[in-house]
Amino acid sequence: MAIRQLRSSKVRLIASLSAVALVATGMVATTASSASAASHTGGTLIYVTNADSFAHADPTRVYTGEDIAFLNTYLFRTLLSYNPTVGQAGFQLKPDLATDTGRVSDGGKTWAFTLKSGIKWQDGSALTCEDEKYGVSRAFATDVLTDGPTYAIQYLNIPKDADGSSSYKGPYKKTGQALFDKAVVCSGNTITFHLNAPIGDFNYFATYPAMSPVKAKADTGDKYDMNPMALGPYKIQTYKSGAEMILVRNPNWSAATDSVRTAYPDQVTMRFSISEDVRDQIFLKDSTPNAVNYDQVMQPANQAAFFNSSASAGRGMNVTGPYTRYYATNVTPGHMDCLDVRKAVFFAINNKALIDLAGGVRFYGKLGDSVINPLAGIDYAPTHGGIHDSNFNIAGNATYAKTVLADAMTTCPDTYARVTDPKKGIAWDVANTATGQKAATLIKSALNAAGIQVNFNFIPSAQYYPTVQNPAKQGDISTAGWGADWANASTVIPPLFIKEGGFNENQNWNWTGKTTADPGIGYDAWHSRVVANMGQTDRAKQSAEWKALAQIVTDEYWAIRPLFSIEQEYWGSKVGGASFWLPQGALLFPALYVK
Amino acid sequence: MTIIYLMTAIAEPRKELAQRSPRQIAWMRLKRNKVSMVAAGVALFFVLIAFLAPLVTKIFNVDNTTVYPNVLGDGGVPKGFGGGISWHHPFGLEPGVGRDLFGLLIYGSRISFSIAILTSIAFVAIGLFLGISAAFIGGLLDNTLGRLADFLLAFPTTFMYVALAYPLSLRVEAMGLAHHNGARIIVMVSVLVVFSWPGFFRVVRSQVLSIREKEFILAARTQGASNMRIIFKEILPNLWPLAIVYLSISLPGYLAAEAVFSFLGVGVQAPGSTWGLVLNDATNFWQRDPAYLAIPAGMVIIVVLALNLFGDGLRDALDSKSDR
Amino acid sequence: MFKYVSRRLAYAIFLLFLLSIVVYLIFGLLPIDPARISCGVHCSPATVLGNRHRLGLDVPLYEQWWRFICGIFAGRTYGDGAAQFTCPAPSLGYSFPHNECVTNVIAGAFPFTLSLAIGAFILWMTIGVSFGIIAARFRGTFIDKAATAFVLIGSSLPTFIVGLLVYIAAFLMHWIDPISQGLWVSPFSDPFGFFKNFIFPWITLALAFAAIYTRLTRGNVIETSSEDFIRTARAKGVSERRILIKHNLRTSLAPLVTNAGLDFGGLLGGAIITESIFQLPGLGMISLKAVLHDYDLPLIMGTTLVAATFIILFNLIVDLAYAYLDPRVRIA
């Protein structure tokens, strides 16, 4: 349910209002202050995680927010980087491998970046433009390199096959290689990307590892996930799933070419497979002072103990995060195809108990009113209805839910009969975790009180998203979580709510639009509005339309009860420089040092 | 593992004493064994409570579904002593959700006992049937069953269950036999039975083979008794003690097996509840709510110990050589 | 002897062969599609097809099985073109979640399982046999009663509860170093660290076995002491102590070989409960994780086959040991 617990493709976002100025023009890099650098250098930082390994460490495949930030800090280098500083300044783009933040032409359809010279791979060979081009091409090998962002496939000017997939099949099969060579062109040290439509914020995508270079000779396909070649200040010494990843200094990295990374510690270790209980103890007792928590947060019972104790003062932070969590309804006929039933579910569930279970409003999240997180900046506006409805009760309103359900008896009798039949009921997809099972208990209790029957489909956690995003396997309701990739709802509404978006858990392409708040809207009308708005170049108009579309999402109860996330970070007493990196939704990794 | 060893200790059918029937002798011996009788009482008490769960919970005015989130404090840990122990909630509450622990455990024991009893009865019945068939029919059937038993014993049972639980329950659900926990229970019982009968089968087979050569069978044969008659009238009565002992000794084993599988996360799942499931959850709270771990752990230990003691007593009572 | 050995060996190999077929059948017919699972979040039908091909699932089940068998002897190659890679023999398949050949994953986990099994084995054999002998020697006394109680409690306490209690105790005593949890410490380079890692799992695992072996030993010793040759020795005036050591134990401990061999073989497949409580990434733990987390079919099949192989292997060893000890077996 929680994005962190599931390690889904959680994605990052920028919260800056100024990010409207998307076409950055020659933003000059300011050199990071390095006055105190010397005193921070040395020692070993130990990151501690519950996971058995990185979901992916192959640059083309990483799509988990914190992993992107971590690997970009230590191992990879990208064309551009987010500014490694606290606060709003963190949203600025900084040239990293590139000499500037990108040059746009052809009305936003052509983007060019020039690589700095003198940058070397960990094996000592020089970085070339061909490496950059090869790295981008790997995103097209979706059969081998799964899970990565698909923006390159969506944006680059390469024709699509009949089934909607790109005609270029990646560097392994080489089918359609000429098409790719036309869309991405190297000339000397300059790489040019030709896009199929104007994309004003393409350079934000250039901060992704999926847009970073890969050396063709070092590419081992699947296996590259375990041994990616470093451009950054550290290289992999050991990486063993279930045990640890040890990063040591990369002698071929030079600070002179890198204005983003500080590289304080001599060694960075990631300890995998630390059990939750033990992880909590490490930070509660400060038993490993140079440890930093990674990925998942403490168990709720320990959160309170940690943040209430004076012993842990200055060793943790509790901050607003970039994600929106919600229950996605599958609107396919035969599933949650009835608006009144979706509405009844929304009013019936006991949100207070569910939020408390996961850490409460203090540690888990606040009830939200839009699928777009407020940190997405200008695209967020409170929607009406939903939690602002006068009948809404945070602890569940069984009486009103029954009233709404009674309406369903006439508006959609089939669905009504199904969800009130104890033998059938709503099929709710839950990740098979301790919290997931408990949440199921609470949901069942609340829904039964409103006369709705529910059955749970417990799915092994790593299979959760692959299952619920498989139209054939999804149940009626599933949990979802998402954060914008950058400060434009074009990275929220389209991925989540159109068929080709990639993260659609509503199957709303099957939506008939019949039993809806606004009978005029069907999926085709919805789809064309979304697609049209992606190409909208007037940012103010685009923003207004995103808000209108978000209102429809709320009205249709596609996203039941959005929750704006709250994130926690913890570290040991010997770790200095801890602060929050807003655009990455994670610790400001480059600033961390060992005292 | 335990079960197998206790089983190997079971001896040959005893030599009859002239005066009393074997059943009387066994009962007399069992009655003399105070510890066993107490254990039997305790075990029976728990079984009764389990099967009368709706009644018991009604008397105590609790159930296993109502949630009391308001009783939970910081981080979902119940407020008050011992995880929220009070007049209304004699064992406290489930952290995070707030269901009554007493209700959960009682209803949980129903599932645990059902699985253990079903499994034990099924594998004993199958073992008896196949063992007698193999010994009587012999030839190809005996050979095949013997090889099959060998083969099944080569499988790592725990591994097989852990690996098969999820996909097999999907299959059971797809067949429409049962849903969710129903499917899980069917799969658990089936897998345990499939890998448990071979051990008992071997014992039964060798017993039948040796009984078959006894004089009283020869006598029956010369009187023209049919095979069926011999099996039902002469052989089966001699196998009952063996079957009863196996049943009673394997019961605690399967009770624990259910708890283990649920504990590992491959057994019954919430919102259902079993002892193993509660214990699994309790491991997340042992520091802040130790009672939540101690109560179910104590219960499992008491029941398994009682059942083992009773099984031991029963075996001793039915086995003449066990006096030593 | 040679004929007997070769016959037993052939049978063991036949069993293994059959086992591989059955495991393939069971898992192959399950409603689980590994191609779908390894497909990731943006899963298109084309990707599923591609994955199926890469995983070698696009051929009939019998051919998948044949490729698997060939892989064990000749290694196996996956994928096409630049993304091609090979799992050298003995290949048990490829685990996508681990990005590693199954053989390597198992080899990485095996030291934990082996150390756990050996240490626990030594512990329970020492305790079980010595308690059993002492209880038999002082039969009927307080010592015997204590041993009986130990047997009862030890064999009644479910391992996972013992494990939890031991774990909590170790945790409270700060015996478990959180940050090095689950990391391999070689007994040769750091014997103390190794010991510290394993002592609590050993105790957990050994308890139930120690109780069982106490019971077995006690029973066997008592039974043997009523045999004629012991009575003869006693009549000849040999001391009780000498009778026990010189005459009795030889006879009464021999049958334990069977139990010990089979139990040890069973443990080499992985002790799921102990490993998961103490977070030891042995065979049991990795297969449990493979089930709960990814349903990583190749790894699950690999660990199942390895565990079964150990059971069959130790059955064979026990049979051969018996044949060696008792010539009558060979002819039978």
Side-chain angles (χ1 to χ4, degrees):
Chain A
M1 49 166 340
I3 309 165
R4 283 187 167 217
Q5 276 157 0
L6 276 180
R7 292 160 58 72
S8 77
S9 308
K10 72 176 181 187
V11 196
R12 310 165 302 160
L13 130 169
I14 306 157
S16 157
L17 291 169
S18 62
V20 195
L22 285 167
V23 184
T25 41
M27 214 185 272
V28 186
T30 49
T31 5
S33 85
S34 51
S36 54
S39 60
H40 294 166
T41 305
T44 300
L45 261 187
I46 302 180
Y47 290 89
V48 176
T49 179
N50 194 225
D52 291 331
S53 64
F54 283 107
H56 291 293
D58 178 326
T60 307
R61 307 174 74 178
V62 197
Y63 201 10
T64 312
E66 200 166 13
D67 293 350
I68 293 177
F70 181 90
L71 294 167
N72 272 356
T73 299
Y74 295 114
L75 212 52
F76 306 151
R77 291 187 64 179
T78 43
L79 286 175
L80 306 181
S81 281
Y82 286 111
N83 196 4
T85 51
V86 202
Q88 295 295 318
F91 293 107
Q92 291 168 4
L93 290 180
K94 291 244 179 186
D96 184 353
L97 293 173
T99 50
D100 55 36
T101 55
R103 296 177 303 276
V104 65
S105 56
D106 193 15
K109 283 175 80 172
T110 302
W111 281 83
F113 300 88
T114 303
L115 296 174
K116 287 176 191 161
S117 52
I119 294 172
K120 285 178 184 163
W121 286 98
Q122 88 179 51
D123 65 355
S125 58
L127 173 72
T128 66
C129 182
E130 288 302 321
D131 295 339
E132 170 60 31
K133 185 177 164 186
Y134 184 80
V136 176
S137 76
R138 293 174 88 242
F140 290 82
T142 49
D143 54 337
V144 181
L145 308 172
T146 52
D147 298 347
T150 52
Y151 291 112
I153 303 172
Q154 283 178 37
Y155 292 163
L156 286 175
N157 190 19
I158 295 172
K160 300 270 195 294
D161 285 349
D163 65 350
S165 65
S166 176
S167 302
Y168 175 49
K169 303 295 179 198
Y172 306 129
K173 285 188 180 153
K174 293 198 192 310
T175 318
Q177 185 69 39
L179 299 169
F180 180 76
D181 290 341
K182 231 171 84 189
V184 181
V185 181
C186 268
S187 131
N189 253 352
T190 300
I191 186 160
T192 312
F193 297 98
H194 298 284
L195 313 182
N196 53 20
I199 304 289
D201 45 8
F202 183 75
N203 52 352
Y204 279 88
F205 184 49
T207 62
Y208 272 74
M211 284 283 284
S212 76
V214 169
K215 194 171 162 167
K217 271 189 184 157
D219 186 11
T220 46
D222 280 282
K223 300 278 237 177
Y224 196 67
D225 221 5
M226 295 306 281
N227 196 15
M229 203 186 223
L231 269 179
Y234 299 87
K235 60 179 180 180
I236 297 175
Q237 188 188 57
T238 332
Y239 178 20
K240 204 167 167 294
S241 151
E244 58 191 348
M245 176 192 251
I246 297 175
L247 302 175
V248 293
R249 286 194 187 277
N250 172 10
N252 284 308
W253 173 78
S254 112
T257 62
D258 197 333
S259 57
V260 180
R261 292 165 189 79
T262 36
Y264 293 136
D266 286 338
Q267 188 188 310
V268 177
T269 299
M270 175 69 80
R271 274 291 286 116
F272 298 110
S273 301
I274 298 284
S275 71
E276 292 190 299
D277 210 29
V278 168
R279 184 261 331 269
D280 291 3
Q281 293 310 312
I282 289 175
F283 296 104
L284 279 166
K285 303 233 169 78
D286 195 19
S287 61
T288 307
N290 53 341
V292 181
N293 183 47
Y294 189 79
D295 195 22
Q296 298 187 15
V297 297
M298 280 190 192
Q299 301 169 88
N302 291 331
Q303 295 266 32
F306 182 86
F307 284 99
N308 291 345
S309 154
S310 59
S312 43
R315 292 200 293 110
M317 63 168 76
N318 188 18
V319 292
T320 307
Y323 307 106
T324 306
R325 302 163 206 265
Y326 60 94
Y327 296 119
T329 49
N330 176 357
V331 297
T332 309
H335 291 273
M336 295 298 282
D337 51 356
C338 178
L339 176 67
D340 285 324
V341 171
R342 297 199 290 271
K343 210 169 154 184
V345 170
F346 167 73
F347 283 104
I349 52 180
N350 182 344
N351 286 298
K352 187 179 181 310
L354 281 169
I355 295 172
D356 281 348
L357 171 67
V361 284
R362 185 170 167 207
F363 299 118
Y364 183 59
K366 288 189 256 302
L367 275 184
D369 50 12
S370 170
V371 73
I372 301 171
N373 191 293
L375 281 183
I378 60 160
D379 292 335
Y380 166 78
T383 61
H384 47 83
I387 62 165
H388 299 306
D389 191 299
S390 59
N391 290 303
F392 175 77
N393 182 338
I394 188 164
N397 184 347
T399 329
Y400 184 68
K402 276 182 185 159
T403 323
V404 180
L405 193 64
D407 294 344
M409 216 187 306
T410 48
T411 51
C412 23
D414 293 351
T415 320
Y416 174 82
R418 193 164 50 80
V419 300
T420 51
D421 179 354
K423 285 201 183 117
K424 293 172 183 162
I426 293 173
W428 200 301
D429 294 329
V430 179
N432 197 2
T433 59
T435 320
Q437 296 201 357
K438 291 192 162 193
T441 309
L442 290 171
I443 290 168
K444 188 179 170 68
S445 161
L447 290 185
N448 286 353
I452 303 170
Q453 301 297 327
V454 60
N455 282 303
F456 296 95
N457 176 22
F458 291 95
I459 303 166
S461 50
Q463 269 185 56
Y464 188 77
Y465 280 103
T467 304
V468 298
Q469 281 164 8
N470 179 351
K473 291 200 170 163
Q474 197 191 2
D476 295 337
I477 299 184
S478 54
T479 36
W482 191 254
D485 290 55
W486 54 84
N488 190 323
S490 65
T491 64
V492 180
I493 301 277
L496 297 178
F497 300 105
I498 60 173
K499 187 176 183 183
E500 59 271 37
F503 291 93
N504 191 321
E505 283 185 41
N506 296 89
Q507 298 193 34
N508 59 352
W509 60 88
N510 293 321
W511 176 51
T512 57
K514 261 186 257 164
T515 56
T516 62
D518 177 0
I521 303 184
Y523 177 70
D524 292 339
W526 162 266
H527 180 261
S528 49
R529 272 178 76 175
V530 173
V531 172
N533 203 39
M534 282 167 77
Q536 172 64 266
T537 42
D538 181 334
R539 188 68 178 89
K541 277 189 188 155
Q542 190 187 32
S543 179
E545 177 72 349
W546 289 140
K547 286 171 191 163
L549 293 169
Q551 181 64 49
I552 293 175
V553 172
T554 303
D555 290 344
E556 288 298 330
Y557 294 92
W558 286 346
I560 290 184
R561 192 219 60 187
L563 198 76
F564 300 145
S565 76
I566 295 173
E567 313 279 325
Q568 292 82 39
E569 308 288 348
Y570 332 90
W571 54 89
S573 57
K574 280 227 167 356
V575 176
S579 52
F580 201 67
W581 202 358
L582 271 175
Q584 305 278 30
L587 277 172
L588 182 57
F589 294 120
L592 293 181
Y593 63 92
V594 182
K595 284 180 194 164
Chain B
M1 214 57 80
T2 318
I3 309 161
I4 295 162
Y5 288 113
L6 295 173
M7 284 172 181
T8 53
I10 299 169
E12 300 271 302
R14 339 166 279 103
K15 292 167 186 78
E16 315 287 320
L17 289 173
Q19 303 89 338
R20 297 193 186 93
S21 80
R23 200 176 302 166
Q24 286 169 321
I25 300 167
W27 177 237
M28 211 182 67
R29 286 192 199 191
L30 191 62
K31 270 200 293 191
R32 254 185 292 162
N33 189 340
K34 294 254 161 49
V35 181
S36 271
M37 291 311 284
V38 172
V42 173
L44 203 64
F45 173 74
F46 275 98
V47 174
L48 273 181
I49 285 196
F51 287 98
L52 298 176
L55 190 73
V56 176
T57 48
K58 200 155 206 161
I59 292 169
F60 282 84
N61 190 26
V62 291
D63 61 34
N64 65 332
T65 47
T66 311
V67 294
Y68 304 90
N70 296 337
V71 193
L72 305 180
D74 248 4
V77 176
K79 289 177 229 168
F81 165 78
I85 289 178
S86 68
W87 196 240
H88 186 194
H89 304 293
F91 285 179
L93 294 143
E94 174 194 22
V97 174
R99 285 182 295 179
D100 181 83
L101 186 56
F102 182 68
L104 279 185
L105 290 178
I106 284 185
Y107 273 97
S109 69
R110 215 145 94 122
I111 300 181
S112 312
F113 276 117
S114 306
I115 290 175
I117 291 172
L118 268 179
T119 311
S120 302
I121 291 177
F123 98 85
V124 165
I126 293 176
L128 273 177
F129 177 74
L130 294 182
I132 295 173
S133 310
F136 255 80
I137 299 168
L140 186 66
L141 181 81
D142 187 19
N143 222 332
T144 316
L145 285 175
R147 292 288 145 124
L148 183 64
D150 272 3
F151 182 59
L152 286 174
L153 286 172
F155 278 96
T157 311
T158 319
F159 261 77
M160 290 311 288
Y161 176 73
V162 167
L164 293 174
Y166 173 65
L168 276 187
S169 43
L170 287 185
R171 171 81 359 132
V172 170
E173 284 180 356
M175 283 158 64
L177 288 178
H179 285 283
H180 192 47
N181 277 336
R184 292 262 169 173
I185 291 170
I186 290 178
V187 170
M188 195 187 291
V189 172
S190 319
V191 173
L192 286 175
V193 168
V194 164
F195 294 105
S196 301
W197 68 264
F200 185 58
F201 159 82
R202 283 179 167 180
V203 179
V204 172
R205 180 182 166 277
S206 69
Q207 285 287 318
V208 175
L209 283 179
S210 79
I211 295 173
R212 219 175 53 161
E213 304 308 317
K214 293 268 156 68
E215 290 89 349
F216 64 95
I217 302 282
L218 273 175
R221 255 190 221 290
T222 49
Q223 283 167 12
S226 68
N227 261 350
M228 276 300 150
R229 193 188 154 79
I230 291 176
I231 289 172
F232 283 102
K233 291 282 171 184
E234 312 290 345
I235 306 245
L236 260 184
N238 278 292
L239 290 174
W240 280 135
L242 190 73
I244 290 170
V245 168
Y246 260 73
L247 207 71
S248 69
I249 287 174
S250 56
L251 208 61
Y254 292 122
L255 204 66
E258 184 284 319
V260 164
F261 291 141
S262 301
F263 177 79
L264 292 176
V266 291
V268 174
Q269 289 167 330
S273 68
T274 71
W275 293 349
L277 210 55
V278 171
L279 279 167
N280 180 341
D281 188 38
T283 56
N284 298 324
F285 292 93
W286 65 269
Q287 299 202 67
R288 317 233 162 259
D289 189 358
Y292 184 50
L293 178 66
I295 293 170
M299 245 168 138
V300 175
I301 292 173
I302 290 170
V303 172
V304 172
L305 194 65
L307 282 171
N308 270 343
L309 275 170
F310 174 64
D312 269 14
L314 204 60
R315 193 195 54 204
D316 289 352
L318 290 165
D319 171 14
S320 61
K321 272 162 85 184
S322 65
D323 280 344
R324 53 170 189 254
Chain C
M1 185 75 190
F2 174 76
K3 206 173 150 198
Y4 177 78
V5 172
S6 50
R7 208 175 65 214
R8 295 298 309 170
L9 202 65
Y11 183 55
I13 291 171
F14 169 72
L15 267 186
L16 265 177
F17 191 72
L18 206 62
L19 201 90
S20 73
I21 295 179
V22 170
V23 166
Y24 242 90
L25 266 180
I26 295 178
F27 289 106
L29 297 176
L30 289 176
I32 290 276
D33 185 357
R36 176 66 236 190
I37 288 167
S38 56
C39 176
V41 282
H42 319 277
C43 192
S44 72
T47 314
V48 176
L49 285 180
N51 269 351
R52 204 160 283 151
H53 175 67
R54 242 159 25 105
L55 289 158
L57 296 170
D58 53 347
V59 295
L61 204 59
Y62 65 86
E63 198 176 335
Q64 289 179 34
W65 170 80
W66 179 244
R67 285 189 192 174
F68 175 81
I69 296 290
C70 293
I72 295 179
F73 298 103
R76 207 169 157 183
T77 307
Y78 291 88
D80 319 285
Q84 196 176 57
F85 56 89
T86 303
C87 287
S91 158
L92 292 172
Y94 184 76
S95 158
F96 281 89
H98 282 260
N99 277 301
E100 182 84 88
C101 300
V102 169
T103 312
N104 294 349
V105 178
I106 291 179
F110 193 62
F112 289 96
T113 297
L114 185 67
S115 311
L116 186 59
I118 291 180
F121 182 77
I122 293 172
L123 201 62
W124 95 59
M125 286 309 274
T126 319
I127 295 175
V129 171
S130 51
F131 277 24
I133 294 171
I134 293 169
R137 175 80 178 74
F138 299 99
R139 190 179 159 191
T141 65
F142 169 73
I143 297 176
D144 188 20
K145 293 223 166 78
T148 311
F150 168 71
V151 168
L152 206 90
I153 293 170
S155 53
S156 292
L157 287 176
T159 308
F160 74 108
I161 293 185
V162 175
L164 276 180
L165 299 178
V166 171
Y167 177 79
I168 288 173
F171 203 100
L172 292 177
M173 291 190 297
H174 299 282
W175 260 81
I176 290 175
D177 178 17
I179 205 77
S180 60
Q181 184 193 54
L183 284 185
W184 173 247
V185 180
S186 161
F188 306 108
S189 62
D190 180 7
F192 181 70
F194 173 79
F195 186 77
K196 212 171 127 176
N197 258 1
F198 280 101
I199 182 68
F200 293 104
W202 285 340
I203 292 174
T204 305
L205 198 54
L207 182 71
F209 283 109
I212 292 159
Y213 279 74
T214 305
R215 180 186 209 130
L216 282 175
T217 311
R218 179 182 174 274
N220 287 352
V221 171
I222 289 173
E223 190 169 12
T224 314
S225 66
S226 61
E227 298 268 341
D228 291 343
F229 72 95
I230 301 285
R231 287 196 202 149
T232 314
R234 201 169 283 141
K236 280 202 282 186
V238 183
S239 76
E240 277 297 316
R241 196 189 155 88
R242 200 179 154 78
I243 288 175
L244 184 68
I245 295 167
K246 283 273 165 186
H247 302 273
N248 190 325
L249 290 188
R250 270 182 87 143
T251 319
S252 49
L253 294 188
L256 285 187
V257 172
T258 313
N259 299 306
L262 297 184
D263 283 341
F264 187 70
L267 276 185
L268 285 183
I272 295 188
I273 303 161
T274 312
E275 285 174 13
S276 65
I277 287 176
F278 290 93
Q279 301 285 315
L280 295 172
L283 289 181
M285 175 95 162
I286 57 163
S287 30
L288 183 66
K289 277 194 172 168
V291 167
L292 290 181
H293 197 65
D294 303 289
Y295 213 83
D296 179 2
L297 201 57
L299 183 58
I300 294 168
M301 281 167 59
T303 49
T304 308
L305 279 175
V306 167
T309 307
F310 279 120
I311 293 177
I312 292 173
L313 182 71
F314 274 81
N315 259 304
L316 179 69
I317 292 174
V318 164
D319 281 352
L320 297 185
Y322 252 83
Y324 178 76
L325 292 173
D326 184 354
R328 281 172 302 177
V329 178
R330 278 173 251 164
I331 310 153

